Each structure stands twice: as C-alpha cells, then as structure tokens.
Amino acid sequence: MLLLDVTVVNVALPAIRRDLSAGFDELQWVIDAYALMLAATLLAWGALADKVGRRAVFAGGLIVFTACSALCGAAPTPLVLDLARGAQGIGAAAMFASSLAILANEFEGRERGLALGVWGAITGAALAIGPLVGGLITDGAGWRWVFLINLPIGVLLIWLTARSLPESRDDRPRPVDLAGMATFGVACFLATYGLIRGNGDGWGSPLIVGSLLAAAALIVVFVVVESRGEAPMLPLSLFRIPAFTGTALVAFAQSVALYPLLLFMAIYFQDGLGLSPTATGLRILPLTLVLAVVAPISGRLTGRWPLRVPLTAGLVLIGAALLLMLSIDPHSDWTALLPGLLVGGVAIGVISPALAAAMISVLPVERSGLASGINNTFRQLGIAIGIAGLGAIFEHHARGALDIRTGIVEGLEAVVVVAAAVALLAAILAWPLLGSQRSDSTGTV
C-alpha cells in the first residue's frame, strides 16, 4: 500500500491537474512531498521503533497514513493536497522504518532470506503496478479514490496489526537524533524546492540560488552534527564499511534513474498520445509482468552470489533499459518503449530482493531498525531528488518545443540520457565497494 502510493498517483496527475488547476511544479510536489517526508523522517522513526517498540511505531504510522489518505482524497486545492501528502509520508515513514526490522526479528536463517526476498519482490511489484492501479481507479471512480481506497485497507490492517503482530524492541535503543533529523530534513526540502522551482523562477534568481546554497550548507551542518553526536541517526562510521556504502549507493541510484521515469511516461502516454489513465497503466504492465517472474528467482539466489553481482547487474540493466527508450520520436507509437520496459522489469526484479537482503546483512539484527530506515531513506530520497532534478530537465525541454507532443518526447529523451548515465556510473562505483562479500541470508555478510 505504501509503495503503491509512490507511483499510483502518477497516472492520476493529469486528472488532478485539470480538476484542481495545478501547475507542473504543483504536480511534482504531489509525489515529492510524500517521498521527501519519507526520506527525511525514516531514520528517526527507525531509532524510535527500536526504542519504544516496532509494532507500536508500525501501528501509529498506519493510523496517521490512513487519516491523511482521507485528507488527500478531500483536498480542495493543490496546496492542501501537497501538504496532506507530506503528512501522509510521515506516517508511511514510521511503517517503512519498522517493516524490515519486524521481518528480521521474526525470522532466522534461510527463512529470513525467504522473507526478505518476498518483501523485496512485493516492494518492487507495488512500485511497478502503481500506474495500472491508478489508471483503473482514476477512470472508474475518479482520482480522489486513488487516496480514499486506503481507508478500508488501512482499517483492516490496523485490526490485523493489533491482533497478530508481536512486539519487539532493542534492549539498548538509541536516542532520537532531533538535530540530525531537522538539518537533514530541511536540507532535502530546500534542495528539492530549488530544483522544482528553478525553471519557473529562473536558475539565477536569488530565491533559487539561496535555496540550493542553503541546502548545501545544511548538509555540511548535518555531517558535523552526526560526526559529533553521541547517538547520530546516521552514524557516519557506517560508510567505512564498503558493502554498506555500496548498497546505499545502489538504493539511491536505482530510485533516481528509474522510478521517476514513470511520471514522465504517464505524461507522454496521456498528453502526448492521448491515452486514458487505464490505457496508460496497461502499457506499463509489461514491466510488472517481467518483474513478477524475475524477483522471486533473484530472491532465492541472493545468498548464492556475491552482493555486487545482482546489485550492479541491476543498475547496468536499468541503464540499458533507458537507452533502449531513445528510439522514440514524435511519430512513434507506445511500442517504441516496449523493449525498455521489458528490460526495466528485469532490472527491478534483480535489484529489489538483493537490496533488501544486503542492507539488513550489513548490520546486526538488533540494529535492524536502523538498517531498515537507512535502506528506505536512500530509496525515497532518490525518488524525491529524481522527480525534482529530472523534472527540471523534462520541463525545460517541453517548454521550448513548438507543439506538446514534440516537447514531451524531447523532454523524455533528455531525461532518459541523464538517468542512464546515473545508473551506469553508480554501477561502476558500486562494483569495487561491494567486493566479493556474500549475504548468507542469516543476517551477516
């Protein structure tokens, strides 16, 4: 449900734009407000989950997420929708931060490897089928039900959590790092704001330059705070572990390179080709079907290969998938994107289970709340930065074209080139960092 809400909105964005008279930057915030608050609060929630109880944090996040889904569905303006999406992301962060920790605590040995493989397959599939689910709901009941459908599901899950989920916590929990959370969160917001508003306000305007410089300064402050704090939410010493750094890089890069592309493809299919939301979702379905086949296989093989094999191979496949999409032109049919979609499905299927197992394996089980938070922080931050940065490139090219379809295609081509470069560069950097270490599916590397 949470990961669907990262991508399910993509297909509904044209309908939201028409109904609420929203601009392109406001549409970006519908996705980025959610992903950004996820990234900004995940690490703090991970520490809190280890301290007060993972089930308690999971249940509390579920309640907040469900309530904010109702606010999103009733939003009368783009601003209200964006703010509600941000609050929804905070609730989602609490659930994300405790989810992998709960799995790691409840399963041991090969069962843990299987559980993490299933988790990875579901997360990858959820992100992929979001456009189809969003299209069906938007065409059938209207875009507001993209959010309102979470209400009955959320109520059911609250009951199941109270009834079936055991409580667990760390015997020696870390304090919540409020200073680190504040500096990191504000830095992420300012960077995203500057990237989203750059085309509209001008990249040389004082507001944009000031936002980006302030973001950079706050990142420096964040590093200082984390290096000197007694209980940092992101211990910088972890980056001395090559496998940790490599998996974090993979998590960030794959989210920057691939998942934001679903937004631009939705715009291309609907505004460029004139397709309905459901038809848009169906055309992204090949990616989902391939993913569903590949992910379970990858999950079973995770413990048999060195970590760098599935992780860097997945990044290379993402780069190949994106470059295959360069065959598109203003006169193309949607099938020009089909080879890239198929290879992209393989890429997500290879990376998702391996990434989940790798991040948990780097740290001991008793610190699994931290591992879960870091894993998802880099993934969601990648989506947020990808939407903002690639969105700026897309909007720049789309604005300069003489007609809508040509502008969308030119924007899509530019985004594809940059995203492919990100994926391939990350693969080159991650390969030596990951080394020859293996995950034995028991929580160690």
Side-chain angles (χ1 to χ4, degrees):
M1 182 173 66
L2 298 182
L3 286 163
L4 275 173
D5 261 46
V6 177
T7 58
V8 73
V9 182
N10 287 331
V11 173
L13 287 178
I16 293 174
R17 180 185 60 201
R18 291 190 296 269
D19 190 26
L20 300 183
S21 301
F24 183 74
D25 57 336
E26 291 170 318
L27 293 182
Q28 287 176 281
W29 278 115
V30 173
I31 301 174
D32 259 5
Y34 182 82
L36 192 59
M37 293 310 298
L38 264 171
T41 60
L42 266 171
L43 294 178
W45 281 121
L48 193 62
D50 287 342
K51 182 176 183 178
V52 306
R54 292 151 187 160
R55 182 182 71 170
V57 169
F58 186 87
L62 181 55
I63 292 171
V64 172
F65 178 89
T66 304
C68 290
S69 294
L71 293 177
C72 290
T77 66
L79 177 60
V80 173
L81 176 59
D82 292 340
L83 292 175
R85 283 283 283 174
Q88 188 187 36
I90 294 175
M95 298 170 66
F96 267 122
S98 52
S99 60
L100 280 178
I102 290 170
L103 289 180
N105 184 74
E106 291 302 310
F107 295 93
E108 296 182 355
R110 293 192 176 278
E111 286 188 348
R112 178 181 295 152
L114 177 60
L116 293 174
V118 172
W119 186 93
I122 290 175
T123 58
L127 284 164
I129 68 172
L132 176 58
V133 174
L136 291 170
I137 295 174
T138 302
D139 278 338
W143 69 264
R144 294 184 183 276
W145 280 95
V146 166
F147 305 107
L148 295 177
I149 197 173
N150 291 331
L151 273 62
I153 299 173
V155 170
L156 173 62
L157 290 177
I158 291 169
W159 175 74
L160 287 174
T161 298
R163 179 177 181 269
S164 304
L165 196 62
E167 184 60 282
S168 65
R169 57 178 57 87
D170 193 342
D171 294 334
R172 293 178 295 176
R174 300 167 292 122
V176 178
D177 180 12
L178 295 178
M181 178 182 171
T183 52
F184 180 75
V186 176
C188 291
F189 170 79
L190 289 174
T192 304
Y193 177 85
L195 291 172
I196 288 179
R197 292 296 307 163
N199 284 324
D201 293 347
W203 292 101
S205 68
L207 180 61
I208 300 304
V209 173
S211 296
L212 296 177
L213 289 177
L218 282 172
I219 287 296
V220 173
V221 174
F222 172 73
V223 171
V224 172
V225 169
E226 298 303 278
S227 63
R228 297 182 178 180
E230 295 182 1
M233 71 177 193
L234 178 58
L236 299 181
S237 59
L238 294 177
F239 290 98
R240 298 172 187 167
I241 305 172
F244 175 87
T245 304
T247 50
L249 175 61
V250 172
F252 179 79
Q254 61 115 16
S255 293
V256 169
L258 191 58
Y259 292 121
L261 190 69
L262 297 176
L263 164 62
F264 311 121
M265 291 178 65
I267 294 174
Y268 168 69
F269 285 138
Q270 293 188 53
D271 293 345
L273 300 183
L275 299 175
S276 68
T278 299
T280 295
L282 286 171
R283 280 154 178 79
I284 302 176
L285 188 60
L287 183 149
T288 306
L289 296 178
V290 173
L291 185 156
V293 174
V294 174
I297 299 173
S298 176
R300 288 194 294 269
L301 296 176
T302 293
R304 303 179 186 179
W305 291 340
L307 289 172
R308 65 182 179 184
V309 173
L311 295 180
T312 57
L315 287 176
V316 171
L317 287 170
I318 288 176
L322 293 165
L323 293 176
L324 284 172
M325 295 180 183
L326 284 176
S327 61
I328 191 174
D329 62 52
H331 306 291
S332 297
D333 195 5
W334 76 274
T335 52
L337 297 175
L338 184 56
L341 289 171
L342 294 173
V343 177
V346 174
I348 301 175
V350 168
I351 283 184
S352 294
L355 187 59
M359 289 300 291
I360 286 291
S361 297
V362 171
L363 300 181
V365 175
E366 61 269 18
R367 304 185 75 189
S368 53
L370 176 62
S372 175
I374 292 172
N375 177 25
N376 287 302
T377 291
F378 281 99
R379 294 180 71 168
Q380 299 305 318
L381 184 61
I383 292 175
I385 296 299
I387 290 288
L390 296 178
I393 295 171
F394 180 87
E395 185 184 21
H396 172 75
H397 284 80
R399 280 185 174 185
L402 296 177
D403 64 87
I404 293 177
R405 182 164 178 171
T406 299
I408 292 174
V409 169
E410 290 178 355
L412 188 58
E413 289 175 335
V415 163
V416 160
V417 171
V418 175
V422 169
L424 296 174
L425 177 61
I428 294 171
L429 295 175
W431 179 265
L433 290 172
L434 295 169
S436 59
Q437 292 174 306
R438 295 172 179 264
S439 169
D440 63 7
S441 301
T442 63
T444 58
V445 175

